Amino acid sequence: MLAFFILALVSQATHLVTSQRLPTNIFILAGQSNMAGRGGVINDTKTGNLTWDGIVPPQCQPNPSIFRLSANLTWVLAHEPLHADIDYNKTNGIGPGMAFANTVLTKDPTIGAMGLVPCAIGGTNISQWAKGGFLYDQLVRRTRTALISGGVLRAMLWYQGESDTINKEDADSYKGRLDKFFMEVRDDLQYPMLPIIQVALASGEGPFTETIRKAQLGINLPNVQYVDAKGLPLEPDRLHLTTSAQVQLGQMLADAFLQSLPTPIRTTTNSAATLSYHAFYRSIFIIIIILSYFFHCRSFPAVVFL
């Protein structure tokens, strides 16, 4: 009976270690609908509602080394649609995030587990991402939470601007607002050289798409680069990228990240391995106490908590 009990405790200790496997590479996904993902979202002619066709291409399939930070701030296995519980007022489909993560892992198998932090919200303009607003605060809060469990912040992937193409005032103010947003995010995350990969627009909601694209391509901050989505296939609404376009965009983002080889910054002293180490030794200590009790030991072995 005692042996059976001990085996159960050892099994639980092993479970604690394996359950502590957490992502070591953290990526922020932010912007509006084309980052959240509308690939495969179609208009149901019977109901008149938007629905996702549910088709997940091979490049976007779940991978045991890819996690996402859920809306309730826990790490879960990532799967499409990545933004379903973040951009919850919209119908989400395929975005670039899963294709990005799978491509990085394919091309650099040694990089370790990937942690995606979805923050994109459809239909938002750059002024809504200003510091002090809900979107900005949510991005910073979710990123800080993602880093508590360990790992390194690798980059922010940013795809936004379609909503700023509607009127000239927003378009003319875009570059200054985007510059400020990038600098303030870096400041609040205490990462002055945070790698940022932005996507130059493929489409827009208004007549000033080229003004926004010019502003995006003109960003001159250090460690900010772009990939160009212009020419990628669009859904019938002429605004959102198709599923195949999102896969291609994800691969472009992955190539840009890998080619830039950004130096990660460790923002916490804990790592996934450290947490696993602690969990294991806490479990062993409990087993020693129980064994000592059963064998009527009057003094417990010295245990050093590492």
Side-chain angles (χ1 to χ4, degrees):
M1 182 68 178
L2 176 59
F4 194 74
F5 184 63
I6 293 171
L7 284 173
L9 286 173
V10 172
S11 175
Q12 178 64 19
T14 304
H15 172 73
L16 282 169
V17 172
T18 57
S19 68
Q20 293 290 341
R21 184 170 183 262
L22 297 169
T24 54
N25 303 280
I26 310 300
F27 296 89
I28 305 166
L29 310 181
Q32 54 181 113
S33 56
N34 272 319
M35 178 57 78
R38 300 293 187 264
V41 173
I42 57 175
N43 188 14
D44 189 324
T45 55
K46 293 182 179 179
T47 65
N49 298 323
L50 293 175
T51 59
W52 176 44
D53 62 17
I55 298 174
V56 180
Q59 300 92 332
C60 301
Q61 292 290 333
N63 182 313
S65 293
I66 303 175
F67 299 85
R68 65 178 292 274
L69 192 71
S70 69
N72 64 3
L73 304 178
T74 58
W75 287 115
V76 297
L77 189 66
H79 62 81
E80 297 286 10
L82 277 178
H83 280 76
D85 62 346
I86 300 298
D87 195 15
Y88 54 83
N89 286 322
K90 307 288 177 61
T91 301
N92 291 270
I94 301 296
M98 287 299 292
F100 164 80
N102 274 311
T103 301
V104 170
L105 286 170
T106 298
K107 294 190 174 185
D108 185 1
T110 65
I111 195 169
M114 309 276 284
L116 306 178
V117 184
C119 298
I121 301 292
T124 54
N125 59 37
I126 191 62
S127 61
Q128 291 175 277
W129 286 90
K131 183 173 180 174
F134 171 79
L135 297 178
Y136 183 94
D137 291 347
Q138 177 176 253
L139 183 154
V140 172
R141 182 180 69 254
R142 285 176 55 76
T143 303
R144 286 174 176 168
T145 300
L147 293 167
I148 290 173
S149 58
V152 294
L153 181 56
R154 288 286 198 168
M156 178 170 75
L157 310 184
W158 174 256
Y159 190 171
Q160 188 277 334
E162 294 92 342
S163 292
D164 292 275
T165 66
I166 297 173
N167 69 70
K168 190 174 186 303
E169 182 183 355
D170 284 342
D172 290 341
S173 303
Y174 188 80
K175 186 176 184 297
R177 291 171 176 171
L178 186 61
D179 266 330
K180 185 177 181 183
F181 169 72
F182 286 163
M183 289 187 291
E184 288 179 335
V185 167
R186 285 173 161 177
D187 184 58
D188 282 328
L189 293 179
Q190 299 178 15
Y191 195 166
M193 292 296 287
L194 169 67
I196 297 172
I197 309 174
Q198 62 166 333
V199 181
L201 293 187
S203 58
E205 295 183 55
F208 300 104
T209 301
E210 286 305 317
T211 303
I212 298 299
R213 282 179 50 81
K214 183 179 178 181
Q216 292 172 329
L217 302 181
I219 295 294
N220 197 31
L221 295 174
N223 232 19
V224 176
Q225 58 177 314
Y226 72 89
V227 299
D228 199 344
K230 189 173 184 177
L232 293 179
L234 300 173
E235 296 284 4
D237 62 10
R238 307 307 301 165
L239 180 63
H240 295 111
L241 298 182
T242 64
T243 293
S244 62
Q246 289 285 16
V247 169
Q248 187 175 344
L249 178 60
Q251 293 169 338
M252 291 164 61
L253 288 165
D255 287 341
F257 167 70
L258 291 171
Q259 289 168 11
S260 67
L261 296 175
T263 302
I265 181 171
R266 188 166 298 278
T267 54
T268 175
T269 55
N270 290 329
S271 67
T274 303
L275 289 173
S276 298
Y277 189 72
H278 281 211
F280 179 76
Y281 277 95
R282 281 197 300 269
S283 302
I284 294 299
F285 180 60
I286 292 171
I287 292 172
I288 291 172
I289 291 175
I290 293 172
L291 285 173
S292 299
Y293 172 78
F294 274 103
F295 288 105
H296 304 288
C297 291
R298 294 187 178 181
S299 61
F300 299 130
V303 177
V304 178
F305 288 97
L306 302 175

